[in-house]
Amino acid sequence: MFRLQPPLPDDYTTAPNDELVRRVATARARLGKRLVILGHHYQREEVIQFADRRGDSFGLSRFAADQHDAEFVVFCGVHFMAESADILTGPHQQVILPDLNAGCSMADMADLDDVEQIWVELAEVTDIEAIVPITYVNSAAALKAFVGRNSGAVCTSSNARAVLTWALELDAASGTGGPARAPGSWAGSRSLGGRGNKVLFFPDQHLGRNTGFQLGYGASDMQVVDPRRRLGGLADAEVKEATFLLWKGHCSVHQRFRTGHVEAFRSEHPDGVVIVHPECSHEVVEIADQVGSTDYIIGAVSRAPAGSTIAVGTEIHLVDRLAREHPDRTVLSLDPLVCPCSTMFRIDLPHLAWVLDGLVAGEVRNRITVDEATAVDARVALERMLAIA
Ligand code: 13P
Ligand code: SF4
């Protein structure tokens, strides 16, 4: 999707930081309860310090859905998060993304045309009624709407297991003991509440694969769907036999973590603990000590005893913040050379000051809206997730 953030006036790009901090604080005070600022954990310090609520994508979706009073929701995160907030808030509320170029490269790896094309091709070789489409929240609103229309659901990294358990009608209590029934043995239909015997999971293959393994499935139950090839590059039999059809998408930040990083950390810190985000590859997740969403990682680091050494495989702003907040523990990036998420990084103090000054002046800058037809279906998929998890 083409989005364009016009350059900011010089007054914002050349202002010293303390002046911008003062402007943001003043605007925030003037707007009072009319404004709520949400900040994803990957945001820079200069921005996150102003967040009324920090969170992972699930926590912030839920929080946004509960904000009935604020007229303006300024979302310091990326485009798909602001879209979800717009879908979940009321018509009297406006959601603002301080920099329109703050997208997500993973979300851009799946678009509606490609998903619809694969869906049609899948229907030619298997019972489409038994495939449940699941989209990671890191996706465009149009894909959430597709999922809503087709009896599927959204998931985030903190509830993928619950959502897939729901989708495949597994026994929620089966834990890591494996599927409650043999994969492929399901014989129901959409009339059973939208669940089936296969999932088409997009756009992140890693979250889908890692969750499938967590649920007790094996590699032979999973196939990667390449959107650039007919039927995803799969043979008919591969489609029929798979339980997980995993879209060939990834996060370029999390895919950088390698097993070699885990081995290097362990040889230097034999008692150290490795905690990674489930967007990392399965090879890394398999040998890590713990895996979980950004909220999970924060909890795990704060529960670790003083004196422990922890290597974290996720975006560097969160890792550095955890290190600062826990000076009695050594918190390191699993990859010493990791890059920040370049799109999360676009939200900075000048852009935050610019949108807030606009609100004070009565001008809504960078509003994110999802058209009502899309929003209706996408809301079904998001609310289904909120109800499941
Ligand atoms: P969380 O769901 O953990 O917030 O992660 C969102 C994200 O974009 C991770 O890269
Ligand atoms: Fe997207 Fe990865 Fe950045 Fe998360 S870290 S917003 S998945 S590019």
Side-chain angles (χ1 to χ4, degrees):
M1 188 192 297
F2 182 67
R3 293 185 284 270
L4 186 64
Q5 175 63 51
L8 297 187
D10 289 351
D11 186 26
Y12 290 91
T13 52
T14 59
N17 255 28
D18 54 353
E19 163 64 14
L20 291 168
V21 165
R22 196 191 54 72
R23 282 195 217 167
V24 170
T26 306
R28 207 165 162 237
R30 288 187 64 176
L31 291 161
K33 288 196 181 339
R34 298 174 69 202
L35 168 74
V36 71
I37 301 179
L38 307 183
H40 189 269
H41 293 307
Y42 294 166
Q43 291 291 299
R44 312 159 179 233
E45 292 316 298
E46 65 183 42
V47 168
I48 204 93
Q49 62 176 322
F50 291 109
D52 295 300
R53 178 66 166 236
R54 298 176 186 190
D56 64 5
S57 45
F58 178 65
L60 293 177
S61 304
R62 180 155 263 171
F63 186 76
D66 290 341
Q67 296 310 297
H68 305 297
D69 299 331
E71 213 176 309
F72 309 114
V73 177
V74 172
F75 210 124
C76 298
V78 289
H79 192 266
F80 72 80
M81 297 180 180
E83 277 190 336
S84 296
D86 183 55
I87 293 163
L88 291 169
T89 50
H92 58 293
Q93 298 174 294
Q94 305 191 57
V95 177
I96 290 156
L97 182 66
D99 184 329
L100 294 178
N101 289 340
C104 163
S105 54
M106 175 208 281
D108 292 342
M109 289 179 194
D111 69 25
L112 184 61
D113 287 350
D114 288 343
V115 169
E116 285 185 335
Q117 176 66 30
I118 290 284
W119 194 250
V120 167
E121 291 169 6
L122 290 172
E124 288 164 9
V125 301
T126 192
D127 176 12
I128 201 70
E129 293 294 312
I131 303 183
V132 182
I134 302 292
T135 189
Y136 189 20
V137 70
N138 296 39
S139 56
L143 291 185
K144 295 183 176 83
F146 171 87
V147 157
R149 282 194 297 279
N150 289 285
S151 309
V154 174
C155 76
T156 72
S157 56
S158 59
N159 61 30
R161 183 183 174 136
V163 172
L164 287 174
T165 296
W166 166 85
L168 293 167
E169 286 197 299
L170 303 177
D171 176 358
S174 71
T176 53
R181 62 188 155 64
S185 68
W186 183 87
S189 75
R190 281 303 155 86
S191 58
L192 289 178
R195 291 167 284 170
N197 66 357
K198 265 187 221 313
V199 292
L200 174 62
F201 189 95
F202 43 84
D204 185 24
Q205 59 173 297
H206 298 299
L207 179 63
R209 182 177 296 111
N210 287 324
T211 313
F213 276 112
Q214 241 187 23
L215 289 168
Y217 288 88
S220 59
D221 299 313
M222 306 178 197
Q223 293 291 348
V224 174
V225 172
D226 180 347
R228 282 165 301 198
R229 299 174 65 191
R230 214 202 97 71
L231 199 57
L234 300 172
D236 295 7
E238 290 174 317
V239 169
K240 288 191 176 109
E241 281 158 28
T243 301
F244 294 85
L245 296 165
L246 306 172
W247 198 262
K248 194 175 178 189
H250 65 268
C251 164
S252 46
V253 175
H254 290 90
Q255 202 171 258
R256 279 180 58 95
F257 297 106
R258 301 259 178 262
T259 53
H261 294 125
V262 180
E263 286 150 13
F265 170 76
R266 287 205 172 122
S267 71
E268 214 177 314
H269 306 280
D271 297 326
V273 177
V274 176
I275 311 176
V276 300
H277 194 278
E279 287 174 15
C280 295
S281 71
H282 183 61
E283 293 69 34
V284 170
V285 166
E286 205 174 15
I287 60 170
D289 298 298
Q290 298 179 45
V291 57
S293 73
T294 48
D295 257 2
Y296 174 86
I297 292 170
I298 291 167
V301 171
S302 48
R303 285 188 298 273
S308 44
T309 301
I310 307 154
V312 180
T314 195
E315 209 271 347
I316 192 67
H317 286 87
L318 174 56
V319 181
D320 285 347
R321 184 174 311 121
L322 287 169
R324 275 194 305 277
E325 287 174 354
H326 300 284
D328 59 347
R329 280 148 254 202
T330 305
V331 182
L332 308 166
S333 171
L334 181 58
D335 173 3
L337 300 177
V338 76
C339 308
C341 169
S342 57
T343 47
M344 286 274 183
F345 195 66
R346 298 196 75 97
I347 310 293
D348 59 7
L349 206 43
H351 286 86
L352 183 58
W354 177 70
V355 292
L356 294 188
D357 282 351
L359 292 178
V360 169
E363 187 189 333
V364 178
R365 298 171 175 155
N366 287 7
R367 182 173 179 193
I368 300 299
T369 51
V370 176
D371 68 84
E372 195 44 31
T374 304
V376 165
D377 290 340
R379 198 173 293 123
V380 169
L382 277 162
E383 286 177 348
R384 204 169 271 150
M385 169 190 80
L386 294 173
I388 295 165

